[in-house]
Amino acid sequence: GFPDLEIADMYGKKVRLSSLEGNVVLIDFWSPSLGNSNALNADLKQLYEKYHDSGFEVYQVAVETSKPMWINTVQEQSLPWISVCDLRGEASPALTIYNVRKLPAKDLYGTSLEQQLEKLL
C-alpha cells in the first residue's frame, strides 16, 4: 500500500499514481525553479532509458506555481516520463502525504538507484 495521487499533467489530464501498478515506480518531487534540476533530470533520464522497457516508471511531481515555468522546463529538458503538477507549489497536498520536507526529494539516486532497479527488475 502507498498513498495514491491524482494530479494533472501539462495537458490537463489527471494521472493516477495507482495506474502504474505492476511497474517499479519512482515518485520524484522536484522544482523547475531549482538551478540543479537539469543535471538531476539528465541523470534520471539515463536510468529511465535503460530500464523503462523492463518496467521502470517515473511519476515526477513538480512543486511549482507557474504553469509556463513547469511546462517550459519539461519541454526544454525533453522529460520522457509522467510529469504532473497541481500548481500549488509548497502548499501541494502531495508534499504532506509523502512527508516531503526538501527539494529535490531524492533519497535514492545515481548508482544507489541503479542498484535497486537491478534488484527489483
Side-chain angles (χ1 to χ4, degrees), residues 2-114:
F2 56 88
D4 202 4
L5 298 173
E6 184 178 41
I7 305 173
D9 66 12
M10 70 175 122
Y11 305 106
K13 178 185 173 211
K14 290 194 174 193
V15 182
R16 277 187 151 317
L17 178 59
S18 60
S19 71
L20 303 174
E21 194 169 337
N23 294 295
V24 172
V25 179
L26 173 69
I27 304 170
D28 180 34
F29 291 88
W30 73 297
S31 173
S33 303
L34 293 176
N36 62 356
S37 73
N38 194 15
L40 294 170
N41 281 332
D43 289 344
L44 186 54
K45 272 172 58 172
Q46 289 179 348
L47 290 176
Y48 184 81
E49 289 167 7
K50 183 174 180 180
Y51 294 100
H52 177 67
D53 289 340
S54 299
F56 175 51
E57 189 56 74
V58 176
Y59 188 90
Q60 191 173 57
V61 180
V63 180
E64 183 59 62
T65 56
S66 168
K67 190 172 185 174
M69 162 82 82
W70 165 53
I71 290 174
N72 288 340
T73 304
V74 169
Q75 290 176 336
E76 285 173 4
Q77 294 183 19
S78 300
L79 302 181
W81 47 71
I82 296 165
S83 183
V84 297
C85 185
D86 63 12
L87 300 173
R88 295 183 187 177
E90 293 181 11
S92 174
L95 294 173
T96 303
I97 290 168
Y98 277 90
N99 196 29
V100 174
R101 297 173 188 256
K102 66 181 175 81
L103 293 175
K106 290 187 190 303
D107 296 328
L108 193 61
Y109 53 91
T111 305
S112 300
L113 175 57
E114 186 164 15

